[in-house]
Amino acid sequence: MKIKHILSLTAVAVTLASCGDKMDYKEYSVYDEDYIKTTFDRAAGIVTSVYNDLDTDFGNYSGALLASATDESVYSHAGNAIEKFYNGGWSASNNNDASAWTKCWRGISYANLFLDKFKDETFEEYLTDLDYKQELAQYQNLQYEARFLRAYYYFLMVRMFGGVPLITTSMDANEINSQPRKTSDEIFQFIISECDAIKDLIVKDYADLGNMQLKSKNETGRANNLAVLALKARAALYYASPLFNPTNDKERWHQAALANKTLIDECKSRGMKLTADYGSLFQKDNWTNTEECIFVRRVVSSTNTFEKYNFPIGLENAGGGNCPTQNLVEAYEPGDIRLEATVARNGEQWPNATLETFFGGANGQPIAYATPTGYYLKKYVNKSLTIGAKNATTERHHWVIFRLAEFYLNYAEAMLNYVGDGYSTASDLSMTAAQAINVVRTRAKLANIATGLSATEFAAKLENERFVELAFEGHRFYDLRRWKKAGEAKYRTIKTMYITKVVDKTTGDITFNEEVKTDAKTRVYWDDKMYLFPIAQSEILKSGGALTQNPGW
């Protein structure tokens, strides 16, 4: 949390973009306030730097995804830090947050710095430039980008830690250290109010700025008003959820439904919909998807690291990685196209040969680091890359932060909890929860959700729909926590598929015997304190007692 405001920074070549947009990438090296205020680009570079710490999960835990701390997957390398989430190995002195606390406070601090010191510059020495008005218009919009980014970092913080200090001005290290925590209510209310304040002020579409469009550069890879509406909608859902809404205040669910419906309607008014090709949302050109993507973090550097982590054992340099569980596979209904796009199974061509995940197979146990579940990961994995020592290839990987399908499911959840069933409307909400889910199911080639389900039955179907639609996108870990279900045994019981090859001695015919087993590493440890992360003890000490620890830690 302790960011010194020495006015020097380097904006590394990592950023966030709306789907279909591009951003010019530059390095900025600035030394003092007067120097920054010399040009548009130098001052804008501060906001560009704030984008750099937005979250992704291409293996944040030395290759393991956060999914492998849930019932979505098992990481094939024993001893990975991801295990601390379910073996009791994390603590205030080892809070396992993969540097999220530091990154969030860095983003918040630079946003505050820009808003306090640089948002009102007019650069009058450039008045005679032909594109001065365009430059100034885009520069003036940066304050709304900074406020969105600051609110987004606060959302990341509150979903992990609950209440945190609320700092909205630029402070030195001593002042920052002395700030006490606000409640989670106050943090959510700040996020939602900030989104409301800027949603009509921030640019709607950077690719359509009219006579304010700059001809000399393309700065379209930035947060627009859809991103603002999406942040509000997601934050409102979390604020209404049991972890943060212990009294089940129905009005919070009402407001969450309204926020998600507002976003859905705005997306539809721009011609957006769920793209037919689900798998394409997670491949190299996903940022070009203008149908469904709302906000995608674009990573400039080309790598094959994610493929090295997750390609099947048996390939040169492959790590096995994050292996989908039988729990997840069983959650897919027959004919669901999302299974094919997410899970690699025995006998199929993946990535470029017939996959053998059976015991004794080329990609199966007992080979070290082979899949412990019988499956390998497809989602976000680029099968066209070569990871061997010779002729290795690389590609960019872009992380989807907001996409439209999530918000149909968010709406369905909020509506169910507000009206009490899946089939009713409200005076200001004309779409039922079932209708919202059916938009997602239709893309997956599934029939509409059954009618006549009880609220409990409907909730179970909705939960299952989130499980398969949003698998490996970073939602499951936090969904189970905000629902206060992570401690339930069924979510900590990991099922795997054990496959053996059977050869008929007479005919030579090959069949496979499949047996569902319970993983010996079933996540037996749980403590309710783990619904929230512990604040690092080092931060508690730095604060001199101003920060208090989360209960139980």
Side-chain angles (χ1 to χ4, degrees):
M1 173 178 171
K2 318 315 163 215
I3 307 297
K4 292 184 178 180
H5 286 144
I6 301 170
L7 297 183
S8 62
L9 60 106
T10 299
V12 298
V14 179
T15 192
L16 185 76
S18 308
C19 281
D21 293 340
K22 294 175 65 180
M23 179 184 280
D24 291 335
Y25 304 100
K26 293 182 172 67
E27 284 196 354
Y28 298 91
S29 182
V30 295
Y31 302 94
D32 57 43
E33 188 172 332
D34 290 337
Y35 182 85
I36 294 173
K37 291 179 178 179
T38 305
T39 69
F40 286 107
D41 281 352
R42 288 172 187 160
I46 296 177
V47 178
T48 300
S49 74
V50 181
Y51 282 93
N52 291 333
D53 287 316
L54 287 167
D55 57 321
T56 66
D57 189 3
F58 289 117
N60 290 345
Y61 292 87
S62 301
L65 303 171
L66 204 56
S68 288
T70 76
D71 54 351
E72 284 181 330
S73 63
V74 176
Y75 196 60
S76 64
H77 295 244
N80 186 274
I82 203 70
E83 296 175 6
K84 291 185 173 69
F85 285 119
Y86 55 81
N87 68 10
W90 57 325
S91 66
S93 58
N94 182 6
N95 72 338
N96 223 31
D97 75 353
S99 73
W101 177 274
T102 298
K103 288 181 178 180
C104 288
W105 283 119
R106 181 164 58 212
I108 290 167
S109 294
Y110 278 128
N112 285 337
L113 178 66
F114 179 83
L115 291 167
D116 278 1
K117 295 183 179 293
F118 301 103
K119 70 179 177 66
D120 296 322
E121 296 305 306
T122 57
F123 305 98
E124 293 184 0
E125 61 269 36
Y126 293 96
L127 269 170
T128 58
D129 285 6
L130 292 177
D131 59 356
Y132 172 78
K133 288 183 179 180
Q134 290 84 353
E135 286 271 20
L136 185 62
Q138 290 201 23
Y139 183 81
Q140 289 172 337
N141 185 68
L142 292 175
Q143 62 186 294
Y144 309 121
E145 294 179 51
R147 290 174 70 178
F148 161 79
L149 293 165
R150 180 176 63 184
Y152 185 80
Y153 287 122
Y154 270 115
F155 171 75
L156 298 185
M157 297 285 280
V158 73
R159 76 174 181 178
M160 291 178 70
F161 301 101
V164 293
L166 181 57
I167 301 172
T168 58
T169 60
S170 187
M171 298 180 178
D172 64 29
N174 288 332
E175 290 177 300
I176 291 174
N177 287 344
S178 66
Q179 299 304 306
R181 298 174 67 175
K182 297 292 187 180
T183 65
S184 59
D185 283 2
E186 290 172 302
I187 301 299
F188 278 115
Q189 289 162 8
F190 170 77
I191 295 165
I192 292 167
S193 65
E194 278 291 274
C195 291
D196 283 338
I198 66 175
K199 63 183 175 62
D200 296 323
L201 299 173
I202 196 168
V203 164
K204 291 184 68 172
D205 184 354
Y206 290 92
D208 185 20
L209 294 175
N211 60 10
M212 289 296 104
Q213 191 78 49
L214 279 166
K215 297 181 177 63
S216 60
K217 61 181 178 179
N218 189 345
E219 290 283 8
T220 55
R222 299 183 178 277
N224 63 12
N225 81 315
L226 287 182
V228 173
L229 293 175
L231 174 58
K232 177 185 176 180
R234 186 186 287 177
L237 183 73
Y238 272 67
Y239 187 37
S241 299
L243 180 61
F244 301 107
N245 184 18
T247 63
N248 195 29
D249 180 353
K250 295 292 185 181
E251 183 56 24
R252 292 194 193 179
W253 291 113
H254 181 206
Q255 293 302 317
L258 288 170
N260 280 275
K261 186 62 162 56
T262 297
L263 173 65
I264 291 168
D265 289 346
E266 183 66 21
C267 287
K268 289 169 69 175
S269 75
R270 301 188 195 187
M272 295 178 69
K273 60 183 180 180
L274 304 198
T275 191
D277 186 357
Y278 174 82
S280 69
L281 291 166
F282 314 103
Q283 292 304 308
K284 66 176 183 177
D285 294 326
N286 58 352
W287 64 275
T288 66
N289 182 299
T290 59
E291 288 185 311
E292 183 172 346
C293 291
I294 295 169
F295 217 31
V296 178
R297 177 174 173 174
R298 292 179 57 210
V299 181
V300 170
S301 57
S302 294
T303 73
N304 59 19
T305 302
F306 192 66
E307 287 66 34
K308 286 181 177 178
Y309 285 148
N310 292 291
F311 269 171
I313 287 298
L315 298 179
E316 184 182 1
N317 288 336
N322 300 273
C323 300
T325 61
Q326 182 65 21
N327 309 53
L328 178 62
V329 171
E330 290 178 359
Y332 292 91
E333 297 177 29
D336 192 331
I337 65 170
R338 295 170 293 193
L339 175 61
E340 176 69 19
T342 305
V343 180
R345 293 169 287 172
N346 182 60
E348 69 173 289
Q349 291 289 311
W350 179 263
N352 51 21
T354 302
L355 193 60
E356 298 181 352
T357 66
F358 55 87
F359 188 86
N363 317 107
Q365 297 285 344
I367 302 172
Y369 310 131
T371 172
T373 67
Y375 306 102
Y376 286 103
L377 179 63
K378 279 186 175 179
K379 199 166 183 179
Y380 273 119
V381 178
N382 187 335
K383 73 173 184 177
S384 69
L385 294 184
T386 300
I387 64 171
K390 294 182 179 179
N391 303 316
T393 56
T394 61
E395 190 54 77
R396 297 178 182 181
H397 296 70
H398 310 298
W399 185 257
V400 179
I401 291 182
F402 297 132
R403 62 183 180 90
L404 184 54
E406 174 200 339
F407 298 94
Y408 278 102
L409 297 176
N410 289 358
Y411 175 85
E413 181 182 339
M415 195 64 174
L416 171 65
N417 283 280
Y418 175 51
V419 302
D421 65 66
Y423 312 101
S424 297
T425 60
S427 60
D428 52 355
L429 292 163
S430 59
M431 181 168 60
T432 68
Q435 289 170 330
I437 286 181
N438 289 338
V439 173
V440 179
R441 289 177 61 84
T442 297
R443 192 259 299 278
K445 308 298 184 187
L446 299 177
N448 286 347
I449 193 170
T451 59
L453 297 177
S454 68
T456 300
E457 292 168 334
F458 194 97
K461 293 292 289 185
L462 172 57
E463 179 186 311
N464 194 80
E465 204 65 42
R466 286 187 72 90
F467 195 17
V468 297
E469 174 68 28
L470 304 175
F472 298 100
E473 296 181 52
H475 290 275
R476 184 71 168 175
F477 182 92
Y478 292 105
D479 279 350
L480 293 178
R481 280 164 168 74
R482 68 181 178 85
W483 295 331
K484 297 200 74 174
K485 290 185 175 182
E488 294 181 19
K490 73 174 185 175
Y491 301 108
R492 296 187 289 111
T493 301
I494 304 302
K495 293 190 288 186
T496 65
M497 177 61 75
Y498 181 74
I499 307 170
T500 53
K501 181 179 180 180
V502 180
V503 181
D504 188 288
K505 293 181 180 180
T506 303
T507 65
D509 290 343
I510 296 173
T511 57
F512 293 97
N513 181 56
E514 296 183 341
E515 180 185 359
V516 176
K517 292 188 173 184
T518 299
D519 190 343
K521 298 178 182 177
T522 291
R523 287 80 186 270
V524 295
Y525 182 82
W526 178 262
D527 189 309
D528 282 354
K529 69 182 181 181
M530 297 193 302
Y531 281 121
L532 294 173
F533 280 58
I535 296 174
Q537 188 61 30
S538 59
E539 299 297 335
I540 301 287
L541 293 173
K542 286 177 187 177
S543 76
L547 282 179
T548 56
Q549 187 56 271
N550 277 324
W553 292 105

